[in-house]
Amino acid sequence: MKVKRIPVVSRVLEANDRMAGENRRRLAAAGVRAVNLISSPGAGKTALLEASIPRLVPRVRVGVVVGDVATTRDAERVAALGVPAVQITTQSMGGACHLEAAAVRQALDRIDLSKLDLLVIENVGNLVCPAEFDVGEEAKVTLLSVTEGEDKPLKYPQAFRVAKLAVITKMDLVPHLRFDLEALRRNLRKVNPRLPVVELSAQTGEGMEGWLSWLRGPGKA
Amino acid sequence: MKVKRIPVVSRVLEANDRMAGENRRRLAAAGVRAVNLISSPGAGKTALLEASIPRLVPRVRVGVVVGDVATTRDAERVAALGVPAVQITTQSMGGACHLEAAAVRQALDRIDLSKLDLLVIENVGNLVCPAEFDVGEEAKVTLLSVTEGEDKPLKYPQAFRVAKLAVITKMDLVPHLRFDLEALRRNLRKVNPRLPVVELSAQTGEGMEGWLSWLRGPGKA
């Protein structure tokens, strides 16, 4: 069973990488920085966008592509902030656990890239599959909430290896948890020693400046 | 790309279902009740087992099969309770985001089923893929932590449709969250009106009796 799957998977990944390359060239040509947010369900990707976007616009023109298995709730939450938001639901693609470059291309067709500086791609909530798929982003960012436990970088290493930034969310909950922040930091270093880490709370605003500065991109802080 | 994948996926699922059937017959012949725990990473599957197993043994003889992409930490945590625990890591299977029946069969070969009443299969942390794979369990149980937000049943409906029980974890954190418990209950009913729901905290012990009674099986409360 496994042996049979490999060539098909390779072909799928090759086709995806080709299309991701096209997306990347298109975004670069339009001068749009694209970041791809990866996390477990409920780690707070949408809440982070809700806290970030009002602090970025209008100086940084932001658009959002949201991936989910089902519902358009997150795109609605983002659109309520007055920025362009496109929802991709993967239910029609067999309930895929990640976004692929082809789906993101379709989303790009529905956004006026000439009016954007930053495109945030909020992937399907999942720490495994999205790490394996390039969708044409400039950087992947992996979020991890403190409620998920300090061992997650070791258990889902790929998500932290492919990331250009790790964001630890829900820092305001630390006092209410049995949670060893130093162990989490150590586990992140073990998996990816050069990964920059931002620790923040979208609710209290703690740590948001470091994240916003990274998000704006080099030389735009 | 999608069209090409479908026949392969069907063959994979068919082969999986055949093997799941074999696992199920083998477990039934040994008189072992098997439950398959599904959740996001960090929803507290292992913590729930750590709180449950000491209250079940020795009256209920428990064994555990743990799936993860990487590490054997969870099996070690369970084994520390003095019950048989087998870790399956899917990294060698391309980092699969779920357990398949074939992997569980190998785990069954390493446990003396004649000495068990209950086998808990702790799946890979993921709300999408594990819902699609039968591994031979009697029932799937889907866990959701209150920190993940009330919208998750709508966004990951399959995990709650295939479940025989939903367990809401980390109830002790509710006072520290912006979280609408009634909305979560409503969303669960929308997705699966007949799904029984247990609300608990493995840390405070709140709600554990309902869960343990369900886990022991019908007529064994």
Side-chain angles (χ1 to χ4, degrees):
Chain A
M1 202 163 76
K2 261 170 279 159
V3 176
K4 271 184 208 158
R5 288 177 80 183
I6 290 168
V8 177
V9 171
S10 302
R11 282 204 304 274
V12 168
L13 284 174
E14 270 169 35
N16 182 74
D17 284 350
R18 261 198 313 278
M19 205 164 292
E22 287 169 23
N23 290 348
R24 188 169 286 112
R25 283 187 289 278
R26 187 168 163 190
L27 288 158
V32 177
R33 172 173 166 83
V35 302
N36 180 354
L37 302 190
I38 295 175
S39 82
S40 302
K45 296 184 292 302
T46 312
L48 181 59
L49 289 182
E50 287 176 323
S52 306
I53 289 170
R55 302 181 204 206
L56 291 168
V57 293
R59 211 174 125 212
V60 181
R61 298 168 301 167
V62 186
V64 180
V65 173
V66 184
D68 271 305
V69 176
T71 82
T72 57
R73 296 173 69 96
D74 287 354
E76 286 158 21
R77 284 171 63 185
V78 170
L81 304 170
V83 300
V86 176
Q87 179 85 45
I88 301 170
T89 55
T90 68
Q91 208 154 41
S92 62
M93 310 166 202
C97 49
H98 59 271
L99 290 179
E100 296 188 9
V104 170
R105 181 168 72 172
Q106 285 176 30
L108 297 184
D109 291 340
R110 292 163 57 196
I111 294 186
D112 185 351
L113 293 180
S114 73
K115 295 198 173 138
L116 292 190
D117 303 302
L118 174 68
L119 181 71
V120 181
I121 300 160
E122 186 188 325
N123 221 307
V124 180
N126 195 306
L127 266 186
V128 182
C129 327
E132 289 165 21
F133 283 81
D134 182 3
V135 297
E137 71 278 349
E138 190 175 311
K140 288 186 173 75
V141 174
T142 299
L143 280 72
L144 181 72
S145 116
V146 294
T147 60
E148 294 173 64
E150 52 277 85
D151 57 349
K152 295 304 168 295
L154 303 179
K155 293 171 75 176
Y156 303 91
Q158 184 70 0
F160 297 91
R161 282 193 192 121
V162 299
K164 293 282 193 297
L165 179 76
V167 177
I168 312 304
T169 63
K170 307 193 191 181
M171 285 295 290
D172 56 294
L173 293 178
V174 170
H176 310 297
L177 305 171
R178 284 192 217 154
F179 174 73
D180 183 344
L181 183 58
E182 203 35 65
L184 172 62
R185 291 173 181 150
R186 222 167 29 236
N187 290 338
L188 282 166
R189 280 195 300 271
K190 260 188 221 167
V191 166
N192 187 347
R194 288 178 310 174
L195 182 65
V197 179
V198 172
E199 300 168 359
L200 57 75
S201 163
Q203 278 203 26
T204 66
E206 169 194 355
M208 285 293 291
E209 266 318 309
W211 154 246
L212 292 172
S213 156
W214 184 92
L215 196 58
R216 286 184 199 106
K220 295 192 183 162
Chain B
M1 200 165 78
K2 262 170 278 158
V3 176
K4 273 185 205 157
R5 288 178 78 182
I6 290 167
V8 178
V9 171
S10 301
R11 282 205 305 276
V12 169
L13 285 174
E14 271 170 34
N16 182 75
D17 284 350
R18 262 198 313 278
M19 206 165 292
E22 288 169 23
N23 290 348
R24 188 169 286 110
R25 284 187 289 278
R26 186 168 163 189
L27 288 158
V32 177
R33 171 173 166 82
V35 302
N36 180 355
L37 302 190
I38 294 174
S39 82
S40 301
K45 296 184 293 301
T46 312
L48 181 59
L49 290 181
E50 287 176 322
S52 304
I53 289 170
R55 303 181 203 205
L56 291 167
V57 293
R59 210 174 126 212
V60 181
R61 297 168 303 167
V62 186
V64 180
V65 173
V66 184
D68 270 305
V69 176
T71 82
T72 56
R73 296 172 69 94
D74 286 354
E76 287 158 21
R77 285 171 63 184
V78 170
L81 304 170
V83 299
V86 176
Q87 178 84 46
I88 301 171
T89 55
T90 67
Q91 209 154 40
S92 62
M93 310 166 201
C97 49
H98 59 271
L99 290 179
E100 296 188 9
V104 170
R105 180 168 73 171
Q106 286 176 31
L108 297 184
D109 290 340
R110 292 163 58 195
I111 294 186
D112 185 351
L113 294 180
S114 73
K115 297 199 172 136
L116 292 191
D117 303 304
L118 174 68
L119 180 71
V120 180
I121 300 160
E122 185 187 326
N123 220 308
V124 180
N126 195 308
L127 266 187
V128 182
C129 327
E132 289 165 21
F133 283 81
D134 182 3
V135 298
E137 71 277 350
E138 190 175 311
K140 286 186 173 75
V141 174
T142 299
L143 280 72
L144 181 72
S145 115
V146 293
T147 61
E148 294 174 66
E150 52 275 75
D151 57 349
K152 295 304 168 294
L154 303 179
K155 293 172 75 175
Y156 304 91
Q158 184 70 0
F160 297 90
R161 282 193 192 121
V162 299
K164 293 282 193 296
L165 179 76
V167 178
I168 312 304
T169 63
K170 309 193 190 181
M171 285 295 290
D172 56 294
L173 293 178
V174 170
H176 309 298
L177 304 172
R178 284 192 218 152
F179 174 74
D180 183 345
L181 183 59
E182 202 36 65
L184 172 62
R185 291 173 180 149
R186 221 168 29 237
N187 290 338
L188 283 166
R189 280 195 299 272
K190 261 187 221 168
V191 166
N192 187 348
R194 289 178 307 176
L195 182 65
V197 179
V198 172
E199 299 167 358
L200 57 75
S201 162
Q203 278 203 26
T204 66
E206 169 194 354
M208 285 293 292
E209 266 318 309
W211 155 245
L212 292 172
S213 156
W214 184 93
L215 196 57
R216 287 183 199 105
K220 296 193 182 161

